[in-house]
Amino acid sequence: MSNSTLELAKQLIRRPSVTPEDNGCQDLMISRLEAIGFEVERLRFDDVDNFWARRGSSGPLVVFAGHTDVVPTGPLDQWDADPFDPTVVDGMLYGRGAADMKSSLAAFITAIEEFVAVHPDHKGSIGLLITSDEEGPSINGTVKVVEWLERQQIKIDYCIVGEPSSSEVMGDTIKNGRRGSLNGKLVVHGKQGHVAYPHLARNPIHLVMPALTELAATVWDDGNEYFPATTFQISNIHGGTGAENVIPGAVTIDFNFRYCTEVTDEHLKRRVESLLKSYSLDFDLNWRLSGLPFLTPKGRLVEAVTAAIETELGVKTTLSTSGGTSDGRFIAPTGAEVVELGPLNATIHQINECVKVDDLDRLSRVYSRTLEGLLS
């Protein structure tokens, strides 16, 4: 199985599927799935290719979810080799998408092939939900497929997302939830003028600084058993005309909340707007919610994945909700139990992205063992 997973991962990496392009990755996966009895629905929304595949018609429905798209390579001259020509050096597989997440996709396929070969008449159903819009705006990918599934009255019971979750060794961490992500764009208005005559102007940067200081120092909650405390971070400040002697007429501040289940996005919005008004600022504030928090507490899926990791790898895993968002945020609200399990995340989105070759087989075995725990 190791050679099979490695070779499939290489074939996927060779296809330069920079988001939202798929470039034939899904065709490759579909051909393998149809050969073992999966029924496949190709679901293209706008410029995004997606597919839904299922083997079986009864429950429970265990789904593997992932994405074929990758982030841009960055400067090609900084890579040791062509990022779309996978290479193995000193036991590491290099290439864009090696860790995020074409190795997981390859492991999905070989694990399912292995499981079906041993259990051709397995209980329940196996599904795959694959998109090419995870690294992009995430508008026409998983969220649209989930809406399609709901219209078809298809309910996912358990979902494994192949995001790179491991920290130090394969399987040491699985994500059983993610924090919510709330973005704000704040524009504070002042009055433009000459820096030598500040009494004739109103500097919006100066006006907003005390409010920003209070926002940065605010304790929004204390977190809980599964989540760290909510955080507020300013990501960009834009102000001024470019001239050294002009007080700007407005300043724009971009900020983000990564929030836990102790608060809601509406709660955070109210607190921020109330604080800004307390400083008598003239402001406009636009919000964009990019992900609700979700949590899968200890239950059948967590137990099956944890047991598979310990059996196959001899590793006691840790549950975590750290990191950014993933497409799990679109699947969990349907009532599915969702976890993320994949290779090490140390090089994701970086130059010379890589994954241990040995971990490909190990990951495939864990996926297959998880199916054993849920469907046999």
Side-chain angles (χ1 to χ4, degrees), residues 12 36 173 285 334 371:
L12 292 168
I36 55 173
T173 305
L285 178 54
T334 69
L371 287 174

Side-chain angles (χ1 to χ4, degrees), residues 51-83:
F51 78 80
W52 166 255
R54 181 169 181 170
R55 187 181 197 275
S57 57
S58 62
L61 172 56
V62 181
V63 171
F64 293 93
H67 59 91
T68 57
D69 59 321
V70 298
V71 296
T73 62
L76 290 173
D77 60 359
Q78 294 184 21
W79 284 76
D80 292 340
D82 183 338

Side-chain angles (χ1 to χ4, degrees), residues 100-117:
D100 189 12
M101 57 177 291
K102 292 185 175 180
S103 292
S104 294
L105 299 180
F108 286 170
I109 300 299
T110 57
I112 293 168
E113 289 172 338
E114 177 76 9
F115 178 77
V116 168

Side-chain angles (χ1 to χ4, degrees), residues 145-155 330 333-334:
V145 178
V146 168
E147 291 171 358
W148 179 87
L149 291 172
E150 291 180 335
R151 291 194 296 272
Q152 307 304 311
Q153 298 185 332
I154 297 172
K155 184 182 183 307
F330 303 126
T334 69

Side-chain angles (χ1 to χ4, degrees), residues 70-263:
V70 298
V71 296
T73 62
L76 290 173
D77 60 359
Q78 294 184 21
W79 284 76
D80 292 340
D82 183 338
F84 297 114
D85 183 14
T87 55
V88 175
V89 179
D90 296 330
M92 304 294 292
L93 171 64
Y94 288 85
R96 175 56 85 220
D100 189 12
M101 57 177 291
K102 292 185 175 180
S103 292
S104 294
L105 299 180
F108 286 170
I109 300 299
T110 57
I112 293 168
E113 289 172 338
E114 177 76 9
F115 178 77
V116 168
V118 177
H119 304 283
D121 300 316
H122 59 79
K123 299 178 183 177
S125 303
I126 306 170
L128 286 96
L129 192 168
I130 306 297
T131 182
S132 61
D133 185 36
E134 198 274 346
E135 299 291 9
S138 299
I139 294 172
N140 293 305
T142 299
V143 63
K144 290 285 183 67
V145 178
V146 168
E147 291 171 358
W148 179 87
L149 291 172
E150 291 180 335
R151 291 194 296 272
Q152 307 304 311
Q153 298 185 332
I154 297 172
K155 184 182 183 307
I156 298 171
D157 295 292
Y158 309 113
C159 182
I160 301 169
V161 183
E163 290 292 341
S165 63
S166 303
S167 299
E168 301 295 333
V169 297
M170 172 67 72
D172 63 358
T173 305
I174 60 174
K175 303 294 177 70
N176 66 321
R178 292 280 192 167
R179 294 173 294 174
S181 179
L182 176 64
N183 303 282
K185 183 175 286 292
L186 170 67
V187 180
V188 177
H189 304 282
K191 182 179 180 181
Q192 185 172 314
H194 196 294
V195 296
Y197 302 94
H199 59 289
L200 300 177
R202 287 186 299 111
N203 192 322
I205 298 176
H206 292 185
L207 293 172
V208 76
M209 283 176 65
L212 295 182
T213 299
E214 184 172 346
L215 285 169
T218 297
V219 176
W220 305 95
D221 57 62
D222 296 320
N224 56 35
E225 177 186 0
Y226 293 101
F227 288 94
T230 294
T231 61
F232 167 88
Q233 287 293 312
I234 296 169
S235 55
N236 287 285
I237 298 179
H238 315 271
T241 64
E244 296 177 342
N245 59 351
V246 178
I247 293 171
V251 61
T252 300
I253 297 101
D254 297 323
F255 61 87
N256 174 269
F257 282 101
R258 291 300 166 105
Y259 67 100
C260 73
T261 50
E262 293 297 303
V263 294

